[in-house]
Amino acid sequence: MTTILVTGATGRVGRHVVAGLRAAGVTVRALVRTPDQAGFPADVELAKGDIYDPAAVRRASDGADAAFLLWPSFSSAGAEAVVGELPRRVVHLSSLNASSGGVWGEIEQLLRAAGKDATYVRPGGFAVNAQSWADEFRTGDVVRVPSPEAGRSLIHERDIAAVAVLSLLDDHHIGRTYELTGPEVLSQAEQIQTIARAIGKPMRVEALSAAEARQAMLDQGADPTLADSAVTYWASLVDHPEPVTTTVPRLTGRPALTFAQWAEEHAPDFR
């Protein structure tokens, strides 16, 4: 039976990848730091280890036919050794911005240099990142964001996982790059109001200045360079919203999930 290694298995996308692979009837092996806290069904093999440890990745990859790779750092330091230990067949969770460089582009280059039979799944913004507003929803009636009119085509984490799973199960996808988005552009203000409707609570939106937004990210431990680029990026989306691709429906044969559907599913997180 086919065995597929899933890194980042306990994360927001990884759990759906595990579920999709189990539903397809393959053996799933999850690389996890704390197996007793993973919370997976008994038929999921648990490989204890850290993605940053090449020896742990080597052990987890032993006998695996393919791997789902999520590199969780904003630096590619140490990634070359890890990539070398993965199975030949890899589906990499990259980013829509990978062609512009950065860590995601660097990991893609490492996979190519290592001769991996790779598929590059490049999602745009994750809908699930809207959970960063959850405290404001729960404790008040206003959400403060930078560039409220920034237009984003956020993608449901289940759609990312669906494309990753079908890519892992069919070698037809080797060498392909898939750019994924949600089916529509919504401003950040519209996203907030969509969540408000899902939980039945009126909410107001207030704009954070660029300086306030940057400081808020720094207070949460963000790298200063990342904070600067994020604030600049959000501002750029006011006049130049993110694109919408049709990759999800083309590959899965069903419509991409909307942000409203995501909000309904995650409504308890905001109450």
Side-chain angles (χ1 to χ4, degrees), residues 25-190:
V26 303
T27 298
V28 182
R29 183 180 300 160
L31 178 66
V32 293
R33 289 191 294 267
T34 51
D36 58 330
Q37 299 177 24
F40 289 120
D43 61 355
V44 175
E45 298 180 3
L46 300 180
K48 183 176 181 179
D50 193 293
I51 186 63
Y52 300 120
D53 180 358
V57 174
R58 182 189 315 121
R59 292 191 296 270
S61 298
D62 185 30
D65 300 283
F68 172 74
L69 172 62
L70 186 155
W71 184 256
S73 173
F74 286 108
S75 167
S76 61
E80 183 174 7
V82 169
V83 164
E85 301 297 347
L86 292 169
R88 184 175 181 86
R89 180 76 179 97
V90 177
V91 171
H92 173 221
L93 182 59
S94 185
S95 166
L96 197 61
N97 297 321
S99 59
S100 300
V103 63
W104 296 284
E106 291 167 5
I107 300 296
E108 289 190 7
Q109 289 299 324
L110 289 174
L111 288 164
R112 294 185 183 98
K116 301 298 183 181
D117 291 333
T119 304
Y120 307 99
V121 177
R122 293 180 172 180
F126 290 18
V128 73
N129 289 340
Q131 287 178 332
S132 64
W133 300 326
D135 284 345
E136 290 169 283
F137 272 89
R138 287 192 293 261
T139 60
D141 64 355
V142 60
V143 179
R144 303 184 71 219
V145 294
S147 305
E149 297 309 313
R152 307 211 62 188
S153 52
L154 301 180
I155 184 168
H156 197 304
E157 60 271 19
R158 286 202 284 124
D159 279 346
I160 302 170
V163 172
V165 167
L166 63 86
S167 297
L168 285 161
L169 296 176
D170 188 343
D171 286 350
H172 167 75
H173 301 285
I174 290 174
R176 305 294 181 91
T177 297
Y178 294 129
E179 297 187 340
L180 311 181
T181 72
E184 61 192 340
V185 171
L186 294 177
S187 70
Q188 296 199 104
E190 289 171 327

